[in-house]
Amino acid sequence: MLSFNNEDLCIENVRLFDIAVKYGTSVYIYSKSQIIKNFTNYKNALKNKEGLVCFACKANSNASILRSIAKLGAGADVTSGGEIYRCLHAGFEPSKIVYAGVGKTSEEIEYALKNNIFMFNVESFEELDLIDKISEKIGVKAKISFRINICIDLETHDYIITSKKGTKFGILYEDALKAYLYAKKKKNIVIAGIHSHIGSQILNINSFKLAAQKIKSIVTEVEKNGVELQYINYGGGLGVKYEKSQKVPAVKDLISELLAAFDLNKNKKFIFEPGRSMIANAGYLLVKVIYKKISGGKKFLIVDAGMNDLVRPALYNAYHDIIPIKKINTKKVKTEIVGPICETGDFIGKDRMIPDAVDQGDYLLITCAGAYGASMSSQYNSRPLIAEVLIDMDKDTLIRKRAGYSDLLLNEL
Ligand code: LLP
């Protein structure tokens, strides 16, 4: 929730300049009311229908953020033992945790079973065998869905399409029936439903419609063969508005499209795993300009966050809006916003129109950075992990301390 108070940019009621002075930069900042709003959009869209919203915590796994989301009644979509640990610690009910991932290890499976998570989204026959074996060993039954790769084309970055033939994800739709019949014979497996996550940053609602139809046809075929699928898990994937020109489907329209594929009287239950659309627009990265530099006919602003803090531009050529935190009315000039890391790929924005007057010591805000920002950050170039702050109305709370140099050596012998 970004707005100007006179000349100063604020998140909720807090001036960003004050945050910079109090906590230093670079720093991730989140708006609590935006998180609540994003979750409420999903919750309201599901009104009167059986559904569970499981936050894909890979998008943001900060303990305080997870605690805020757990308190709203959300479930969690996890992808590793570490994420199960974080979610339990944050107070998510185990019975609302769903676990996908192509490479679940024996240790992770055992940890998930011992903690009574809701279900596994199983990605191969081999994984099913292992879950069955471990369940037998510890004397429990494992609830599963198969993650089905429904092979549909998407308009998004290649790296975040998960439903293409030839990707590592899930079981190919043509093998779905075989998988369910195989699972039916396993003594320690309880078949609960079907899962499909087609990709991320999807802006075309037709891709979801197509997915729903494909899933429906698989469910029909499997149920005809005597296996009931109670839970339909549509995964996540809804895009957000990184650029002003982008049009984003409303959550309520998306959910109603996805529900419409099924006869709602048939007692089906639906699961959604939003990550980005829950947290991206609630998060920002505040940075300081360290140097202004002209080189090769280009103007550079070198800032104090690099690709280790926000890797999305370097990895996916992703766009994030960049704005000064004070109103500046000078003419705008083409500017490269880059980090301090020793790689040409270390940029935050290319060819951006930034007011010419922005200078050394000024602050810039990188928007829509709440998803896959902090959670994908690293210490590359031995840069300690940065601080995170949560804003709730006029209160700001430190939710992750800025690491120091000694943290860089933690666990090194
Ligand atoms: N469920 C599963 C099984 C997933 O693999 C993912 C994301 C989600 C749900 C949540 O998808 P979302 O609603 O966030 O689109 N690092 C990339 C995005 C990778 C997404 C991976 N899977 C980025 O920064 O764009």
Side-chain angles (χ1 to χ4, degrees):
M1 309 247 177
L2 212 52
S3 63
F4 271 100
N5 180 354
N6 298 321
E7 301 298 292
D8 293 309
L9 196 57
C10 301
I11 291 175
E12 304 204 11
N13 303 329
V14 179
R15 285 198 325 163
L16 289 167
F17 183 78
D18 297 338
I19 294 288
V21 171
K22 186 166 171 187
Y23 299 103
T25 56
S26 50
V27 57
Y28 274 105
I29 309 166
Y30 306 96
S31 153
K32 187 158 182 181
S33 64
Q34 187 66 54
I35 298 173
I36 294 173
K37 192 170 168 212
N38 292 343
F39 178 72
T40 309
N41 281 342
Y42 275 96
K43 210 152 175 216
N44 289 347
L46 280 165
K47 219 173 6 195
N48 305 327
K49 300 181 187 91
E50 284 273 24
L52 182 60
V53 181
C54 291
F55 174 55
C57 70
K58 59 176 78 69
N60 192 307
S61 49
N62 177 286
S64 300
I65 300 279
L66 290 182
R67 214 175 300 127
S68 309
I69 293 175
K71 271 202 193 124
L72 300 173
D77 158 53
V78 301
T79 206
S80 68
E83 286 189 351
I84 296 175
Y85 175 81
R86 277 188 176 278
C87 287
L88 294 174
H89 172 269
F92 283 93
E93 288 170 38
S95 62
K96 291 184 178 173
I97 296 179
V98 294
Y99 182 10
V102 286
K104 303 177 188 85
T105 63
S106 306
E107 292 76 16
E108 287 177 313
I109 292 168
E110 186 161 337
Y111 180 58
L113 286 168
K114 285 187 169 158
N115 281 290
N116 295 315
I117 65 153
F118 184 21
M119 74 170 91
F120 293 85
N121 293 318
V122 176
E123 309 226 10
S124 64
F125 287 78
E126 292 79 358
E127 181 192 327
L128 186 82
D129 288 342
L130 189 57
I131 295 176
D132 182 50
K133 199 168 122 199
I134 297 172
S135 301
E136 172 148 40
K137 183 182 94 179
I138 60 176
V140 296
K141 297 222 180 299
K143 252 197 204 146
I144 66 116
S145 286
F146 279 111
R147 176 176 184 169
I148 304 297
N149 181 341
I150 56 175
C151 300
I152 60 172
D153 257 351
L154 286 183
E155 295 155 26
T156 187
H157 193 283
D158 253 5
Y159 289 3
I160 51 178
I161 298 180
T162 47
S163 59
K164 232 168 123 173
K165 208 168 190 161
T167 61
K168 64 183 176 182
F169 297 103
I171 287 180
L172 268 191
Y173 72 95
E174 57 216 46
D175 296 327
L177 179 60
K178 196 166 123 202
Y180 281 106
L181 295 177
Y182 183 69
K184 209 179 157 186
K185 293 194 212 121
K186 299 272 179 192
K187 281 205 305 287
N188 308 293
I189 297 289
V190 177
I191 299 172
I194 185 168
H195 171 263
S196 177
H197 169 78
I198 56 177
S200 199
Q201 184 55 14
I202 302 165
L203 296 173
N204 186 347
I205 202 161
N206 286 325
S207 306
F208 288 108
K209 260 199 221 171
L210 204 64
Q213 282 152 15
K214 276 214 162 181
I215 292 165
K216 168 81 186 295
S217 69
I218 297 166
V219 172
T220 309
E221 192 196 10
V222 171
E223 291 197 329
K224 247 194 241 155
N225 282 274
V227 183
E228 200 208 335
L229 301 178
Q230 193 185 6
Y231 291 92
I232 313 296
N233 184 340
Y234 279 121
L238 180 62
V240 298
K241 199 175 177 115
Y242 287 111
E243 296 187 54
K244 288 193 183 73
S245 59
Q246 286 174 322
K247 286 215 162 49
V248 181
V251 168
K252 68 173 177 4
D253 296 338
L254 170 70
I255 301 274
S256 69
E257 278 297 348
L258 293 177
L259 295 184
F262 285 88
D263 177 354
L264 295 176
N265 299 320
K266 286 247 168 98
N267 203 20
K268 296 277 178 233
K269 296 188 168 130
F270 297 89
I271 302 174
F272 300 90
E273 300 173 343
R276 192 188 311 269
S277 53
M278 279 276 292
I279 191 75
N281 67 351
Y284 304 83
L285 176 59
L286 180 60
V287 302
K288 182 154 87 176
V289 177
I290 314 172
Y291 296 110
K292 184 162 83 172
K293 168 171 176 177
I294 309 282
S295 182
K298 285 191 172 185
K299 176 176 177 185
F300 292 88
L301 292 178
I302 299 162
V303 301
D304 59 0
M307 63 192 282
N308 68 304
D309 303 304
L310 177 67
V311 76
R312 302 193 69 257
L315 191 56
Y316 314 113
N317 209 10
Y319 180 97
H320 289 264
D321 224 3
I322 302 170
I323 45 181
I325 66 162
K326 290 226 176 260
K327 260 189 195 152
I328 304 177
N329 293 322
T330 54
K331 78 171 189 328
K332 292 183 174 172
V333 294
K334 225 183 236 180
T335 308
E336 312 288 300
I337 316 293
V338 298
I341 298 222
C342 270
E343 296 216 21
T344 309
D346 177 34
F347 68 94
I348 293 176
K350 285 183 172 166
D351 288 340
R352 298 305 177 81
M353 296 308 285
I354 303 287
D356 204 17
V358 172
D359 210 337
Q360 261 174 286
D362 288 339
Y363 297 103
L364 295 171
L365 190 70
I366 296 148
T367 66
C368 223
Y372 308 109
S375 67
M376 289 180 80
S377 60
S378 75
Q379 302 185 134
Y380 184 42
N381 271 209
S382 288
R383 292 168 49 80
L385 293 180
I386 64 177
E388 293 176 80
V389 172
L390 181 64
I391 292 180
D392 184 8
M393 314 285 274
D394 38 25
K395 203 173 100 203
D396 49 84
T397 309
L398 185 66
I399 58 169
R400 185 190 166 93
K401 281 197 283 189
R402 185 177 301 283
Y405 290 147
S406 61
D407 295 308
L408 295 172
L409 297 179
L410 204 71
N411 296 327
E412 288 181 28
L413 305 174

